[in-house]
Amino acid sequence: MASNIGMMDGAYFVGRNEILTWINNCLQLNLSRIEEAASGAVQCQMMDLTHPGVVPMHKVNFDAKSEYDYIQNYKVLQDVFNKLKIEKHIEVNKLVKARPLDNLEFLQWLKRYCDSVNGGIMNENYNPIERRCKGGKERVRGSIKASKSLQSNNSHHHSATVDSGGMHKTLRPKPGRVSTGSIGGHNSSVDIQALSNEITDLKLSVDLLEKERDFYFAKLRDIEILCQIQELEELPVTVSIKKILYAADAKESALEEAQEYLAEAMNAGEEEGEEA
């Protein structure tokens, strides 16, 4: 069951872009960063899509802006998990901080769970916009930037001044003069956003590599502790394992040396058995 998948499962190697595409396609959203889903509202609606009617959408706040509001959404999600008997602990304290890696891991798990229930097939009868209207406010953070920009441009072009005779005159751009400030500012914003996304990707890659490193190091440490048990440490197979663990370099000779030692020990044991 998806609720019990391990950290090295393939589900946790699904990339950020694939997760964002999955969310945007299923819920008709336009998220560009993983941390935009930190409020928990997206996760609630994904469960609503997977289990129609189970999530009380009227309790989900899509306009959540504070950690307190986020926590309320995660309470709704946890109640849904409990109702469906999903044994998955939600690390709310980490998720509400909007750190990319923590939210990516939870969304990776959620995608795996949803795919295990519906086979990765979208419910064509599900209307995500209509369902969001049953929640708090329909707006998702970042979705109103365009309208604000339009309002700003509109007010700029229609601003008026009063002439010396008290009459209102509409200000119009002078012929032959083109303002390049807004164009340059737009390009800069695009470049900054692209660099920001690249930095986020690099941070996620580093975090995932560090997690993988720590995972395998913990395994090796467990093997080392096992090899240090007094009753086992002198066994030929244990000595062979320690030769590999404590090899000073990464040459293949460490494995070859261990194999030779183990073969010699086994042959010696067989000879002793024959003599007995």
Side-chain angles (χ1 to χ4, degrees):
M1 188 63 181
S3 57
N4 296 319
I5 61 175
M7 284 305 300
M8 297 310 294
D9 187 275
Y12 290 106
F13 292 93
V14 177
R16 176 183 71 90
N17 289 333
E18 185 175 343
I19 292 294
L20 288 172
T21 300
W22 171 65
I23 292 172
N24 291 334
N25 288 345
C26 290
L27 304 184
Q28 295 181 28
L29 292 173
N30 190 30
L31 303 186
S32 60
R33 297 181 300 166
I34 287 294
E35 51 267 40
E36 289 179 42
S39 72
V42 165
Q43 293 84 332
C44 286
Q45 189 166 17
M46 275 299 182
M47 291 301 293
D48 184 64
L49 169 63
T50 306
H51 299 281
V54 174
V55 180
M57 291 297 290
H58 65 281
K59 293 183 179 180
V60 180
N61 184 1
F62 282 90
D63 196 33
K65 289 181 173 62
S66 68
E67 288 189 11
Y68 175 81
D69 293 332
Y70 293 2
I71 291 171
Q72 305 313 306
N73 284 339
Y74 282 112
K75 284 182 178 179
V76 173
L77 186 63
Q78 188 66 69
D79 288 342
V80 171
F81 281 8
N82 295 340
K83 188 183 300 183
L84 296 171
K85 294 182 170 50
I86 299 173
E87 296 178 0
K88 174 66 175 177
H89 174 65
I90 303 175
E91 295 186 285
V92 178
N93 291 336
K94 291 184 177 180
L95 296 175
V96 298
K97 300 298 182 184
R99 287 191 288 258
L101 182 60
D102 294 326
N103 281 273
L104 176 62
E105 286 181 356
F106 187 65
L107 289 168
Q108 287 169 331
W109 172 88
L110 184 64
K111 183 178 188 304
R112 172 62 180 273
Y113 172 80
C114 293
D115 287 349
S116 71
V117 174
N118 57 30
I121 300 173
M122 292 177 57
N123 181 359
E124 296 181 356
N125 297 322
Y126 185 82
N127 187 330
I129 296 176
E130 180 181 327
R131 290 295 294 165
R132 280 200 292 279
C133 290
K134 295 182 182 297
K137 295 181 180 179
E138 205 278 327
R139 188 175 65 194
V140 176
R141 188 166 57 176
S143 65
I144 60 170
K145 290 181 181 178
S147 62
K148 283 186 176 180
S149 177
L150 289 173
Q151 289 174 4
S152 176
N153 291 335
N154 192 46
S155 63
H156 173 73
H157 289 299
H158 290 283
S159 61
T161 186
V162 180
D163 63 9
S164 57
M167 300 297 290
H168 288 274
K169 295 194 299 183
T170 302
L171 294 177
R172 289 190 172 87
K174 293 182 179 180
R177 296 183 61 184
V178 179
S179 175
T180 59
S182 61
I183 298 175
H186 174 71
N187 290 337
S188 298
S189 299
V190 172
D191 292 341
I192 291 171
Q193 182 63 46
L195 290 172
S196 178
N197 289 338
E198 187 175 347
I199 290 171
T200 300
D201 285 340
L202 290 172
K203 285 181 178 179
L204 287 172
S205 298
V206 170
D207 288 342
L208 288 170
L209 287 172
E210 288 181 347
K211 180 162 288 192
E212 186 175 358
R213 177 203 63 192
D214 294 343
F215 175 84
Y216 286 115
F217 179 82
K219 294 291 184 186
L220 291 171
R221 178 57 182 153
D222 290 343
I223 293 171
E224 182 183 39
I225 292 172
L226 188 64
C227 291
Q228 291 172 348
I229 296 176
Q230 188 173 0
E231 293 81 4
L232 302 177
E233 61 180 352
E234 298 302 326
L235 293 177
V237 67
T238 303
V239 175
S240 299
I241 292 172
K242 287 194 286 187
K243 284 182 179 294
I244 297 173
L245 285 176
Y246 301 141
D249 52 40
K251 294 180 180 179
E252 294 181 2
S253 59
L255 176 60
E256 294 176 0
E257 181 184 353
Q259 290 174 329
E260 289 176 2
Y261 174 85
L262 187 59
E264 290 174 2
M266 292 176 65
N267 290 334
E270 290 176 357
E271 291 176 0
E272 290 178 1
E274 290 176 356
E275 292 176 0

